[in-house]
Amino acid sequence: MTQAPLHPLDHALQLEPAGEHRFRGHTSQAYWNMIGPFGGATAAAMLQAALIHPERLGDPGALTVNFAGPIAEGAFEIVARPSRTNRSTQHWHLEVLQNGEVTTTGSAVFAVRRETWNCGEATMPDVPAAQTLPKMGGFAPVKWINSYDMRAVRGAKPMAAPGTENPDSLTQFWIRDEPARTPDYAAIAAWCDAFYPRIFLKRAGFVPAGTVSLTTYFHADAATLAALGDRHVLGSAQARVFRQGFFDQTAEIWSPDGQLLATSHQIVYYKE
């Protein structure tokens, strides 16, 4: 019986034990950016190391990734070490190393989710359904975009009239993995970094920029993610301020049923 090939994301997330609290992985061309791996793939791999760790407790509640230096094509190691385990929460120290140097640092909080009183104040944007919108094209030489089926609602490309700026930096699109894949926490971590830098849209063109730190908060349990199947989710992202070489980005990931699955916040460096 022929075994089905691994999904590109599962292939990118393949990690082998490499010692106590250490795992060995390899960069994936399917998730390659212009000069290095797509940051979302790096975040997903770091989270995956904690997810497969034998001492793991519960499910992810928060993940912070700090991009300290470039990652070259090839092998890397991830350190995933539980710093403290309490009754219902577990705190993690994370690092990515390549050739003995730290390229990425991070932390995570896992938690045992329990049924409690619930209330949601955020409201899902009112947008057209995914199936009514065309699939977005890729942007050469950015390969990772081809690993997603993205359907733009607004802000798909950073266009404006010559000499002008866009009135806001809001992008909204439907997204799912390509080929379609039932999402898990690693996929959510990657989706939260699937928005191009907000300054591209605000200034209507390319500006050298890169994420410095990204924090993702997970608001759904594993059963909720499994119930999504191969449906698209809605991503929305906008900056609040551009100042002195840095801007922020706040993002939301929504199920098609209106459940807020994750939120993320990042700080991004730019120069003119």
Side-chain angles (χ1 to χ4, degrees):
M1 182 176 178
T2 303
Q3 188 175 10
L6 279 177
H7 188 279
L9 180 60
D10 295 310
H11 185 268
L13 297 178
Q14 282 189 305
L15 300 173
E16 299 177 353
E20 188 177 20
H21 307 308
R22 286 178 176 259
F23 300 87
R24 184 177 296 109
H26 197 283
T27 58
S28 168
Q29 279 296 309
Y31 294 92
W32 199 252
N33 207 342
M34 289 184 288
I35 58 172
F38 162 49
T42 300
M46 295 175 75
L47 184 64
Q48 182 74 355
L51 285 165
I52 65 175
H53 196 290
E55 297 179 28
R56 166 195 169 185
L57 172 74
D59 291 327
L63 171 70
T64 294
V65 176
N66 306 306
F67 299 92
I71 299 176
E73 183 177 5
F76 57 81
E77 284 195 352
I78 298 178
V79 175
R81 183 176 65 250
S83 304
R84 176 164 178 155
T85 300
N86 301 319
R87 289 180 59 188
S88 58
T89 60
Q90 188 175 54
H91 301 258
W92 290 81
H93 167 83
L94 304 170
E95 286 183 344
V96 177
L97 300 98
Q98 196 173 50
N99 300 320
E101 293 187 340
V102 173
T103 67
T104 320
T105 66
S107 63
V109 177
F110 279 54
V112 176
R113 297 178 183 270
R114 298 182 175 89
E115 287 302 319
T116 64
W117 173 83
N118 294 285
C119 178
E121 293 194 6
T123 303
M124 181 179 178
D126 184 13
V127 300
Q131 59 268 28
T132 67
L133 300 169
K135 184 178 179 180
M136 289 169 52
F139 301 87
V142 179
K143 295 181 179 179
W144 67 264
I145 291 179
N146 296 320
S147 294
Y148 294 103
D149 180 337
M150 305 168 85
R151 313 283 177 116
V153 176
R154 59 170 293 178
K157 294 184 179 181
M159 296 183 295
T164 66
E165 296 180 355
N166 281 305
D168 61 49
S169 61
L170 177 62
T171 288
Q172 294 172 332
F173 55 63
W174 293 98
I175 182 172
R176 71 178 179 187
D177 289 295
E178 181 65 38
R181 175 185 182 275
T182 299
D184 49 23
Y185 288 109
I188 295 286
W191 289 347
C192 283
D193 195 37
F195 306 89
Y196 61 78
R198 299 295 82 210
I199 197 167
F200 290 10
L201 183 56
K202 185 66 176 177
R203 298 292 300 274
F206 177 79
V207 177
T211 301
V212 178
S213 183
L214 165 66
T215 295
T216 297
Y217 300 103
F218 303 92
H219 307 303
D221 60 17
T224 299
L225 299 184
L228 289 169
D230 62 0
R231 294 182 296 168
H232 289 78
V233 299
L234 179 68
S236 178
Q238 187 169 12
R240 295 293 185 267
V241 64
F242 303 84
R243 184 175 296 149
Q244 296 177 322
F246 292 90
F247 66 87
D248 69 329
Q249 174 184 288
T250 298
E252 299 172 344
I253 302 292
W254 293 87
S255 80
D257 303 318
Q259 289 183 292
L260 186 59
L261 304 175
T263 52
S264 74
H265 307 277
Q266 61 178 270
I267 191 76
V268 185
Y269 163 80
Y270 69 91
K271 65 179 181 179
E272 298 180 281

